[in-house]
Amino acid sequence: ESTGVSPVLKARGLSGKVDRRALQQIGASNQSRPDLAQAFVAPGTLAERILADIWKEALKVGQVGIHDNFFDLGGDSLLVLNVVSRARQAGLTLTPAQVFQHQTISELAAMDGVIAVQAEQGLITGPVPLTVDQHWLLNRGMLDLHWADMITLFEVLQPVDPDLLAQAFKHILCHHDGLRLRFIQDEVGWRQVITEPDDVIPLQIVNFSDVTDAELPDELIRLSDQVKRSFNLTEGPLISLVLIRCGPGRPEYLLYTIHHLLVDGVSSRIVFEDFLTAYWQLVHKQAVQLPPKTTSLKVWAERLHAYAKTEALRQEVDYWLSLPWERAARFPIDNPDGLEQNIQGSFQVVQGCLDFDETRFLVEDLPRRYRIPTVDAVLMALSHAIMKWTGGEWLAAKMIDSGRSAIPDISDVDLSRTVGWLSYTRLLAMRPEEDSDPLEALRLFSERLQQIPNHGLDYELLLRCSDDRDVAGRLAALPQPEFWINYG
């Protein structure tokens, strides 16, 4: 996806994900205030006006009152990070936890003693506990970890200076400590450390002048594969930038590759936006000045592991063990007695499309009028379809989450600009509700989802980070969920 930070680049290729810009046009087309129960009250103080402008831009609505609820307007956890980041740039110190706790502009602007998270701004080095998804990937026993890379190809819209690109890249590697991670495997297992910055800048220039337009797609694929296989988990680098020159009169390209062990989707965008910011500051002969760091990856990983060992978390084990796993939906396969015969080439993709009114109902009406998150409707429809397909009584599914709100009720951590693989999957136990009224069935389904301990975020923590072999062993012995959901 294009970051939208600079007119120099545009993304090439298709990600296969939902076009959020198209969905946002539904809200953007309505320049008036959404239909909410409470009366509109205009922002008065400077802080209220700043927050209202940020909310309007982030939520794509024309008018926001100070008593409007952020989540009723269509906000979600990822938009919370967006709002917090923009607020900090505007001089307001907020944390994601504060937005979740105080969900209106009036409440946020009236807070006394706002907690300013004191994040270390200098270089951070040394050992860092593995995050949840790092545990998952490194301990799968795979021989080839190069597939877990995030690759974006940009078309360069105007000439760029390679020397300034390299300088900007060096600033990014110093600013974001998580980009300097290295991974070591020994008799104990996998571990990671943040290294000091070095003088090797992972930027290269490739000349494709002799490559024809017809040959270019295959050559780009070959180049991206070559870059991935040059990554060395122990020695580095695990991030790369390639400037591809195709000769006079033809566009240039920028191939941006980063190993998934270093970033999630949110982090990758932060890194590239900061890279473009640093580059433009250098182009205009300005000192590179990036937004302040938020809570470090090292601190967050340590807090996450400490939380995984708490007694409160251990009390959730019985919930997961008591689920009727023997009646859960199982993924139908063509050859149950010959697993190696169930190959990707035999998959079939089925797609459907909602019309404008149906989409508007899901995106706008459900969260604003009925206070039911859009995602809950998607999950109920999905679980209905899978129950009908498999004959199971309920669905255990893993859903990818940002992971930045994994520890509940914390106010001294700000991860809005923290770079690392912080996302991980939450385990959802879902059973469609039967009711003659579809909205009532959806309301009951949504309520049942809310009853899952900590929204299902703690299952993976208990399994991978608790250091309790008995707990981890009992959870690992359960049938592992076969359905994965990437919503967003």
Side-chain angles (χ1 to χ4, degrees), residues 67-280:
H67 300 307
D68 296 344
N69 185 284
F70 179 80
F71 298 97
D72 289 349
L73 292 170
D76 56 32
S77 58
L78 290 181
L79 286 176
V80 167
L81 298 176
N82 183 298
V83 164
V84 168
S85 179
R86 294 184 188 207
R88 293 177 70 88
Q89 293 176 26
L92 299 179
T93 303
L94 296 177
T95 68
Q98 289 168 337
V99 179
F100 280 107
Q101 183 179 0
H102 306 285
Q103 298 179 6
T104 67
I105 288 174
S106 63
E107 292 175 351
L108 286 171
M111 285 189 303
D112 293 326
V114 176
I115 297 176
V117 175
Q118 300 298 319
E120 174 58 55
Q121 298 300 306
L123 282 175
I124 294 176
T125 60
V128 179
L130 294 174
T131 61
V132 177
D133 272 5
Q134 286 177 323
H135 262 290
W136 168 78
L137 179 61
L138 290 170
N139 292 297
R140 291 187 71 192
M142 298 184 63
L143 297 177
D144 185 2
L145 293 171
H146 294 96
W147 67 270
D149 295 316
M150 305 179 74
I151 305 172
T152 308
L153 179 68
F154 294 94
E155 181 179 341
V156 179
L157 301 182
Q158 63 187 60
V160 295
D161 185 329
D163 291 335
L164 296 186
L165 286 177
Q167 292 180 44
F169 220 51
K170 186 171 184 178
H171 279 284
I172 297 304
L173 292 173
C174 291
H175 187 74
H176 293 297
D177 304 293
L179 299 182
R180 305 191 306 275
L181 285 170
R182 300 293 181 264
F183 299 85
I184 303 139
Q185 187 179 29
D186 53 27
E187 63 279 1
V188 178
W190 284 98
R191 55 190 175 89
Q192 65 178 344
V193 295
I194 299 176
T195 63
E196 295 274 356
D198 55 37
D199 294 328
V200 179
I201 305 301
L203 170 68
Q204 58 178 309
I205 302 174
V206 174
N207 190 340
F208 272 7
S209 298
D210 296 333
V211 177
T212 67
D213 289 343
E215 297 169 334
L216 186 60
D218 288 339
E219 287 300 307
L220 289 173
I221 292 174
R222 180 194 60 78
L223 176 62
S224 65
D225 186 67
Q226 178 182 324
V227 169
K228 289 191 298 181
R229 295 194 176 279
S230 70
F231 285 174
N232 185 308
L233 295 184
T234 303
E235 302 296 332
L238 296 176
I239 181 172
S240 169
L241 199 66
V242 182
L243 178 61
I244 304 166
R245 290 181 162 164
C246 298
R250 300 173 69 192
E252 296 183 343
Y253 298 94
L254 207 57
L255 182 68
Y256 166 57
T257 309
I258 186 167
H259 202 290
H260 209 335
L261 285 167
L262 271 56
V263 293
D264 51 25
V266 173
S267 298
S268 184
R269 289 192 291 273
I270 292 170
V271 170
F272 203 77
E273 288 173 3
D274 282 356
F275 166 72
L276 291 179
T277 298
Y279 176 77
W280 274 108

Side-chain angles (χ1 to χ4, degrees), residues 35 77 83-84 93 103 237 285 290 297 302 327 329 336 360 372 380 399 472-473 480 484:
D35 182 20
S77 58
V83 164
V84 168
T93 303
Q103 298 179 6
K285 302 186 184 307
L290 299 173
L297 171 66
E302 291 170 347
R327 299 197 296 274
R360 181 167 59 185
I372 297 174
M380 190 172 90
M399 181 171 175
Q480 293 303 300
W484 290 64

Side-chain angles (χ1 to χ4, degrees), residues 288-346:
V288 173
Q289 186 172 2
L290 299 173
K293 295 182 182 182
T294 51
T295 302
S296 71
L297 171 66
K298 179 180 174 67
V299 168
W300 173 243
E302 291 170 347
R303 289 285 295 273
L304 207 58
H305 277 251
Y307 171 66
K309 298 175 179 62
T310 60
E311 184 59 32
L313 204 62
R314 285 179 56 87
Q315 293 177 2
E316 294 185 13
V317 175
D318 289 341
Y319 170 84
W320 300 111
L321 294 175
S322 66
L323 292 174
W325 290 95
E326 70 281 358
R327 299 197 296 274
R330 308 302 298 174
F331 195 92
I333 55 178
D334 295 330
N335 301 288
D337 298 324
L339 296 181
E340 70 282 354
Q341 299 177 34
N342 299 287
I343 60 175
Q344 185 172 347
S346 65

Side-chain angles (χ1 to χ4, degrees), residues 355-408:
D355 63 26
F356 182 88
D357 290 336
E358 291 169 333
T359 303
R360 181 167 59 185
F361 178 79
L362 282 174
V363 174
E364 291 187 348
D365 293 348
L366 269 181
R368 294 173 185 172
R369 186 178 301 174
Y370 302 102
R371 298 196 173 218
I372 297 174
T374 299
V375 64
D376 288 5
V378 174
L379 291 175
M380 190 172 90
L382 177 67
S383 58
H384 263 297
I386 292 178
M387 295 303 96
K388 183 177 180 180
W389 177 36
T390 65
E393 294 184 14
W394 66 285
L395 174 63
K398 290 187 175 183
M399 181 171 175
I400 297 175
D401 188 272
S402 74
R404 295 171 189 246
S405 57
I407 304 177

